[in-house]
Amino acid sequence: MLFRVLGPVEIDGTDAVSYIRADKPRALLALLLVKANTWVAVGEIIDTVWAGKTPPVSAERNIGTYIWQLRRALPPVGVDGQRIESRSKAYRIRVEAGELDSDRLQALLAAGDEALDAGNAAAAVKHLESAQSLWRGTPYEGLVTDGHQPEVARLTELHWSVRERLADALIGTSRFADAVALCRGLTTEDPLRETNWVRLLVAYRDAGRRADALATYQKARTALVDELGTEPGPELRALQQQLLTDVPEEPKPEPPGPDAYVRTVLEAAGALNGQHAAAARHWFTARHAEFTTAISQLLAADDVSNAWLLTSAVHQFIETGGNVPGWAPLVAQVAAATRSGKDWYGELITRNILGIALTRAGRVHDARAEFTAALGVASVHDDRDAEGTVLVNLALAEASTGARQQAAEYLRRALRLLPESPTAVEARAALAELGEPENPARSPVAS
């Protein structure tokens, strides 16, 4: 016998899984399971079953009927066989050890933790994947009242722990693709949970995907700065420094290495919007002529990852009002190199940058093609953040030609993707500037 509460409340018997379709008996069972083996007063049951509504005069009698229905659906337990017990003005459900899937989740998480601590990542993966398979959605499917939400929050936090420890175990068994997929989901779900950005960087690093790791650091930093106004913590910064300074095995040193140069420019770009912004802009302005040469040299050396990282840093300078001669044709070369090198994230970034550059040059037709290509890359790799950003830039390009309605539609698509994010704030501001509503009223249908 198993009570499944990690999603819609279900009864998993020996032959089949039963889902109680009637709302009120299902809410009653959910409440009893939240307080398993504890007496629950009839008054609390009525408040839960008729949550937000006025209960009928017959509420207490109705509860008795729902209890009878549940007893018929539940197999017996113990010596007396009574699964739901009653006393004056109260009921309780008897649940034995291991009969709640939430208890099993907690036990499997503990076993996974123990295996990881013992250095047995393979065993940890088995325990934690079994725990993850138990999760089916919001615990108790929202059937309990606000007063019982702490239990839902506790189980939700346990689910975070399961996925985070599973990511550690996958990295420990060199299943890097699975670890990356899991960590990307975690960082999308909560971009402010910094430990999962650390896990994602480690997975990319250990998989040899240095460029992806560095690009991920920039995404993490943007999320933390935009939302919290704080720089990444010491662990994340240390990982970035390691990625920037640890060059793959080289038979001979190469002063003044491209990594060090790119790192310097990235750090300067990071300061463009901080307290040292004026000094950073002065630094870029004094060196703007060398950037095109540096990017061309990186492309000639087939160092595609450093080429697009440097391109993204210089783009930040241009966004603050800077100017770099021959910029759009150079970015087009970098975009072509990322595509040839199958560096999807680099291609996404550079095509978006190229679209912005072409828009500013008045070449909106060409800009539209670049933004469309970037959207395709973002969609294939399920990068909703990037997709929303590109949609906003595409909307601004359309607005520059007077295509107000088309621009508004792209902005609304961005809002549907990322309803609460810095990108959403930008999209709403652009809609307001266009004089377009976020949710246009539908035209009446002729009868």
Side-chain angles (χ1 to χ4, degrees):
M1 178 65 188
L2 177 64
F3 292 102
R4 301 170 65 176
V5 300
L6 300 174
V9 176
E10 296 175 345
I11 305 164
D12 193 346
T14 54
D15 298 325
V17 175
S18 300
Y19 176 71
I20 300 172
R21 298 188 179 280
D23 292 342
K24 291 181 174 60
R26 193 165 76 250
L28 171 54
L29 178 60
L31 173 61
L32 293 177
L33 290 173
V34 167
K35 300 194 169 188
N37 300 311
T38 302
W39 289 106
V40 184
V42 168
E44 183 177 353
I45 293 174
I46 291 173
D47 288 343
T48 299
V49 171
W50 281 275
K53 300 177 182 177
T54 302
V57 175
S58 61
E60 192 169 334
R61 186 169 64 252
N62 293 352
I63 293 298
T65 301
Y66 304 148
I67 291 290
W68 175 78
Q69 292 172 348
L70 289 173
R71 281 173 172 161
R72 291 185 62 194
L74 298 172
V77 66
V79 177
D80 60 7
Q82 191 74 290
R83 176 66 72 169
I84 300 180
E85 299 175 318
S86 60
R87 71 179 187 187
S88 178
K89 302 290 184 179
Y91 296 94
R92 74 175 174 187
I93 189 167
R94 293 169 60 181
V95 177
E96 298 186 331
E99 285 192 324
L100 273 172
D101 61 353
S102 55
D103 290 343
R104 295 189 184 184
L105 178 86
Q106 192 160 350
L108 287 166
L109 172 59
D113 276 336
E114 185 177 347
L116 276 174
D117 292 341
N120 190 346
V125 167
K126 291 181 180 179
H127 293 307
L128 295 165
E129 285 187 330
S130 296
Q132 172 67 356
S133 70
L134 294 172
W135 193 265
R136 296 174 296 111
T138 303
Y140 296 97
E141 203 187 45
L143 295 176
V144 291
T145 59
D146 291 344
H148 307 110
Q149 288 307 307
E151 174 62 8
V152 175
R154 183 186 75 85
L155 294 176
T156 301
E157 190 59 34
L158 275 180
H159 185 225
W160 272 100
S161 297
V162 166
R163 291 180 291 169
E164 289 170 343
R165 295 300 272 161
L166 177 56
D168 294 334
L170 291 170
I171 292 169
T173 54
S174 300
R175 288 174 54 182
F176 299 124
D178 292 332
V180 164
L182 177 56
C183 290
R184 287 191 62 204
L186 292 172
T187 54
T188 299
E189 192 171 334
D190 186 353
L192 304 184
R193 205 163 173 129
E194 194 168 334
T195 53
N196 291 318
W197 288 110
V198 170
R199 288 182 171 92
L200 183 52
L201 257 71
V202 169
Y204 276 136
R205 179 200 66 190
D206 291 357
R209 297 169 62 179
R210 179 173 162 277
D212 285 328
L214 287 169
T216 296
Y217 174 83
Q218 295 299 324
K219 289 183 69 176
R221 181 183 179 277
T222 298
L224 295 168
V225 171
D226 287 352
E227 293 293 327
L228 301 178
T230 60
E231 292 290 334
E235 191 174 4
L236 202 52
R237 291 200 307 271
L239 269 172
Q240 186 220 20
Q241 289 302 311
Q242 181 191 67
L243 289 161
L244 289 169
T245 56
D246 285 359
V247 183
E249 294 180 7
E250 295 280 352
K252 43 191 173 187
E254 233 185 273
D259 284 354
Y261 178 79
V262 172
R263 181 177 72 247
T264 300
V265 182
L266 284 168
E267 289 175 351
L272 282 167
N273 294 307
Q275 59 179 340
H276 303 297
R281 279 193 290 273
H282 176 76
W283 186 92
F284 270 97
T285 302
R287 291 164 175 77
H288 73 276
E290 72 187 47
F291 296 135
T292 53
T293 301
I295 293 171
S296 296
Q297 289 174 343
L298 289 168
L299 289 175
D302 202 27
D303 190 348
V304 177
S305 61
N306 270 327
W308 75 255
L309 282 168
L310 182 54
T311 300
S312 68
V314 177
H315 169 68
Q316 293 180 59
F317 165 60
I318 294 173
E319 285 288 282
T320 64
N323 179 53
V324 175
W327 181 238
L330 182 60
V331 179
Q333 293 179 41
V334 179
T338 56
R339 183 171 182 80
S340 298
K342 297 182 179 179
D343 184 340
W344 72 267
Y345 194 75
E347 182 183 1
L348 193 159
I349 294 295
T350 49
R351 286 198 180 278
N352 184 53
I353 291 171
L354 180 55
I356 294 171
L358 292 169
T359 300
R360 286 179 176 156
R363 297 169 54 189
V364 174
H365 176 77
D366 295 330
R368 189 183 296 118
E370 297 302 327
F371 287 136
T372 302
L375 284 173
V377 175
S379 177
V380 166
H381 294 277
D382 194 28
D383 193 328
R384 294 169 67 89
D385 288 335
E387 196 170 349
T389 298
V390 176
L391 280 168
V392 171
N393 290 330
L394 178 55
L396 296 177
E398 295 291 355
S400 71
T401 68
R404 195 179 72 181
Q405 291 185 346
Q406 182 63 67
E409 181 53 37
Y410 288 135
L411 292 169
R412 294 183 189 113
R413 279 178 57 189
L415 285 168
R416 288 195 292 271
L417 279 171
L418 306 166
E420 300 298 333
S421 68
T423 301
V425 172
E426 188 178 355
R428 290 189 177 98
L431 277 170
E433 191 171 336
L434 289 171
E436 290 285 336
E438 182 175 338
N439 298 300
R442 297 191 176 186
S443 301
V445 179
S447 56

